[in-house]
Amino acid sequence: MTPVVEGRAIVQDYHVPGSMMRRAKTVRAVKGIDFSVQKGKTLAIVGESGSGKSTLARIVALIDAPSGGELLIDGHPVDIAAKRPGPEMRSKVQMVFQNPYGSLNPRQKIGDVLTEPLIINTDTPAAERRDRAKAMLQKVGLMPEHYNRYPHMFSGGQRQRIAIARALMLNPSLLVLDEPVSALDLSVQAQVLNLLADLQDEMGLTYVFVSHDLSVVRYIADEVMVISKGEAVEQASRDQIFSNPTHPYTQQLFAATPVTDLDAIRARVARRKAARESAAV
Amino acid sequence: MALLTIRNLTVKFATATGSFTAVDGIDVSVDRSEVLAIVGESGSGKSVSMLAVMGLLPDTATVTADEMTYDGQDMLAMTTAQRRRLIGREITMIFQEPVASLNPSFTVGFQIEEVLRINLGLSGKAARERALDLFQSVGIPEPEEKLKSYPHQMSGGQCQRVMIAIAIASNPRLLIADEPTTALDVTIQKQILDLLMSLQEDYGMGLILITHDMGVVAETADRVVVQYKGRKMEEADVLSLFENPQSAYTRALLSALPEHATGDRLPTVADFFQEEAVR
């Protein structure tokens, strides 16, 4: 089966211009990454800030053109530097950003947020645009009467639902999610993750999910790619990565993730008590 | 004996649509060299109650309490001048956004030396030496070079180390950390938490850690207060909280952790309150 999205040796360079005191230099943010995602599956890209995971996400979402390598959507090579993607290609791939406070225009009503992709990419009549936006609001767990409200009237979790609704208005097959829950509280995070899982089942969506939180990745991902300094250091199925991480960097990430395991807490409390008693003596 | 005791703290904000109660009768106490975690979602009033202690709330806020004592001194009866001698010296605070907490127009060295000059009355040279010591103790590499750097030239983790250095500059007895690692990566988060815990042990400070992350609580706290909508839901030592949570809200928070997912769906707080209502 043709993968929904495939990357072959993707490279991204950023040029840092020189000044009087400094020479110009080139930073290679992504150093030749291969990946592919099948329909209805979720690929999680895990790494620290500066690892190049967001750079890769922007390439997959057709926002930035890679400096090297090939990106295939539905088996067709796409090169946005050579040819601007048309409405059809834009409809296939959509993106949800990390911060729902920054990604919605405060002066735009929710209805306008949701209908704008249709105005730009399709010639749907106004009445139908409105109906589809209202239906989409219900689908993401909001109400049709939210259509005429402004973003500041919503909480963080509700705003992220709006951002997801906007991304889904064009019936995309691929959704690129860049840290979609890391700005949200724990309980709201659970709601949004549940929503994403439901939408994936219902609409057969394919996700590329960027995150630094391994516990979220464990819940949502089918395949996991761990990247560090622009290189994919480990790529495997979720179960394989979580049961047997082989690369030292992956192991380091696991070691840094806080554990809420009772035995670990018990051990820590005992350690502290011992340290305090020896200090008191 | 308790280092800080607060009884029945209430904070109200005057808004256009009337008064809003952000903190509703909270009791908090922290002992010397104890780590207390205050957990809750945004809007639970966990930051506001500590900002009230620091006196950092805007004029629209009304703070009332039956008792607010620090080390036997009544903070409610203090004059502004007396309070100022305490805040920033004996009680210090670090915030969530390390990059935003520092002034972008001055070098970090200038900013830490300013604290040392004003609070400890050190001369320029002595302040520089002490600043260097502090940078070393919080693990900033090449401290001499870094003193001359501006905040934008440092990473988020390093800026938080600078903030911690500033906060411990006056050997405080109580450090309040408001979501100190929320803006940071997991690996950096671990380093910063390890640093806070080792400083806490070395200096014997009381530490109040405000967080929404149950993982952070599990890795650091001695005792935990769980807050929801301005009210205290539960208070327990860390092990009993995770082992045997008493309030429905705590159970909901714990089960919303993605690593506790059983089956396909994550339980949410709303599910939990529904369950309670049915029962």
Side-chain angles (χ1 to χ4, degrees):
Chain A
M1 210 170 87
T2 339
V4 173
V5 59
E6 191 175 355
R8 292 181 190 155
I10 301 274
V11 174
Q12 183 69 295
D13 292 332
Y14 286 118
H15 299 285
V16 183
S19 63
M20 205 146 64
M21 307 300 285
R22 218 175 294 166
R23 288 179 60 178
K25 62 174 179 180
T26 302
V27 178
R28 182 151 286 195
V30 175
K31 302 171 183 164
I33 287 183
D34 299 298
F35 61 91
S36 73
V37 197
Q38 296 290 343
K39 185 174 162 52
K41 297 289 179 193
T42 302
L43 169 72
I45 303 176
V46 187
E48 292 177 87
S49 49
S51 61
K53 58 187 197 298
S54 289
T55 305
L56 188 60
R58 289 173 67 89
I59 293 170
V60 177
L62 308 179
I63 294 173
D64 291 338
S67 345
E70 203 180 12
L71 183 73
L72 291 90
I73 306 276
D74 280 336
H76 303 291
V78 182
D79 184 0
I80 64 166
K83 185 173 170 285
R84 261 177 79 96
E88 193 204 344
M89 189 50 76
R90 284 276 180 233
S91 310
K92 271 188 192 164
V93 187
Q94 288 287 314
M95 185 154 181
V96 176
F97 295 93
Q98 173 171 8
N99 186 347
Y101 291 85
S103 65
L104 297 173
N105 182 343
R107 290 168 168 249
Q108 219 178 10
K109 286 181 180 175
I110 301 313
D112 297 325
V113 172
L114 296 187
T115 51
E116 197 168 27
L118 295 175
I119 298 176
I120 295 170
N121 291 296
T122 66
D123 42 16
T124 319
E128 195 190 328
R129 287 201 298 264
R130 194 167 51 241
D131 292 345
R132 277 173 63 179
K134 287 186 175 171
M136 185 56 74
L137 280 172
Q138 271 177 319
K139 202 169 206 167
V140 298
L142 297 168
M143 316 251 230
E145 51 274 29
H146 291 149
Y147 187 87
N148 277 322
R149 297 195 188 162
Y150 285 98
H152 73 263
M153 300 169 168
F154 294 91
S155 68
Q158 286 175 322
R159 285 183 208 211
Q160 201 58 295
R161 286 172 193 269
I162 295 165
I164 292 169
R166 171 176 62 185
L168 293 178
M169 282 307 288
L170 291 164
N171 281 323
S173 50
L174 174 66
L175 214 53
V176 180
L177 303 132
D178 188 359
E179 304 256 16
V181 294
S182 62
L184 306 176
D185 272 334
L186 189 61
S187 68
V188 181
Q189 171 180 311
Q191 292 167 11
V192 173
L193 288 174
N194 282 336
L195 172 70
L196 286 172
D198 290 346
L199 290 169
Q200 183 165 43
D201 288 346
E202 199 180 317
M203 303 171 72
L205 292 166
T206 307
Y207 291 156
V208 171
F209 192 101
V210 176
S211 180
H212 70 267
D213 188 337
L214 284 166
S215 56
V216 171
V217 168
R218 171 182 234 153
Y219 172 71
I220 198 115
D222 297 301
E223 295 277 323
V224 181
M225 174 161 79
V226 181
I227 68 175
S228 168
K229 294 177 184 151
E231 281 173 272
V233 296
E234 191 161 0
Q235 205 164 354
S237 73
R238 174 188 59 179
D239 295 342
Q240 221 171 328
I241 288 253
F242 279 88
S243 61
N244 185 23
T246 54
H247 194 274
Y249 179 74
T250 316
Q251 289 164 353
Q252 200 186 323
L253 273 185
F254 274 102
T257 305
V259 282
T260 51
D261 179 55
L262 281 177
D263 291 332
I265 300 173
R266 216 169 271 136
R268 184 181 64 81
V269 171
R271 209 163 48 235
R272 256 179 84 78
K273 206 173 158 208
R276 204 168 287 176
E277 273 160 10
S278 70
V281 170
Chain B
M1 198 189 99
L3 187 58
L4 177 74
T5 312
I6 303 169
R7 253 187 330 112
N8 196 17
L9 174 74
T10 303
V11 181
K12 289 195 170 106
F13 285 96
T15 64
T17 50
S19 143
F20 170 77
T21 309
V23 177
D24 193 0
I26 293 271
D27 300 343
V28 180
S29 81
V30 60
D31 285 344
R32 292 169 213 287
S33 66
E34 182 188 38
V35 181
L36 173 75
I38 303 182
V39 198
E41 297 173 68
S42 40
S44 62
K46 58 192 193 301
S47 294
V48 172
S49 52
M50 285 305 119
L51 288 172
V53 174
M54 295 294 281
L56 291 176
L57 289 172
D59 291 340
T60 50
T62 322
V63 181
T64 55
D66 291 353
E67 184 189 352
M68 197 191 277
T69 43
Y70 168 78
D71 198 21
Q73 307 165 56
D74 185 358
M75 288 180 81
L76 293 169
M78 273 180 197
T79 62
T80 318
Q82 285 171 324
R83 212 171 218 267
R84 285 192 118 186
R85 273 198 287 279
L86 214 58
I87 304 294
R89 293 182 200 183
E90 300 232 340
I91 310 177
T92 57
M93 186 160 182
I94 55 174
F95 301 92
Q96 175 168 355
E97 282 288 341
V99 187
S101 315
L102 292 163
N103 188 329
S105 321
F106 295 96
T107 63
V108 292
F110 177 86
Q111 296 182 54
I112 188 167
E113 282 163 30
E114 182 181 36
V115 174
L116 292 166
R117 279 200 313 272
I118 295 172
N119 277 344
L120 302 182
L122 295 183
S123 68
K125 189 159 177 287
R128 198 153 317 128
E129 279 164 14
R130 176 88 176 111
L132 198 60
D133 284 351
L134 285 165
F135 268 34
Q136 270 159 355
S137 61
V138 296
I140 293 176
E142 302 169 6
E144 258 164 280
E145 284 301 304
K146 282 288 175 336
L147 280 173
K148 293 178 220 149
S149 306
Y150 288 89
H152 75 269
Q153 294 168 324
M154 309 176 84
S155 66
Q158 275 181 347
C159 284
Q160 195 59 291
R161 283 177 197 267
V162 172
M163 286 307 296
I164 293 171
I166 292 175
I168 61 167
S170 52
N171 283 329
R173 296 168 68 197
L174 177 64
L175 175 64
I176 302 173
D178 186 357
E179 305 257 12
T181 58
T182 308
L184 307 172
D185 272 331
V186 273
T187 43
I188 311 296
Q189 160 168 299
K190 173 128 180 87
Q191 292 169 12
I192 295 289
L193 291 179
D194 288 350
L195 171 67
L196 277 175
M197 294 308 287
S198 74
L199 289 171
Q200 188 270 329
E201 273 168 27
D202 293 351
Y203 287 67
M205 301 182 286
L207 176 63
I208 298 180
L209 196 71
I210 302 172
T211 183
H212 69 270
D213 187 337
M214 281 301 200
V216 169
V217 175
E219 299 256 315
T220 55
D222 295 324
R223 209 154 47 81
V224 188
V225 169
V226 181
Q227 258 178 248
Y228 180 67
K229 292 198 172 159
R231 290 215 175 85
K232 180 151 84 181
M233 292 283 128
E234 182 164 2
E235 179 172 356
D237 67 88
V238 63
L239 194 58
S240 2
L241 185 91
F242 280 88
E243 209 163 31
N244 187 17
Q246 295 300 311
S247 93
Y249 179 68
T250 314
R251 283 202 295 276
L253 269 188
L254 286 173
S255 60
L257 286 168
E259 65 245 43
H260 291 177
T262 47
D264 288 345
R265 296 191 65 81
L266 285 169
T268 63
V269 170
D271 293 346
F272 248 88
F273 281 127
Q274 261 164 22
E275 235 170 79
E276 290 287 305
V278 171
R279 240 187 266 166

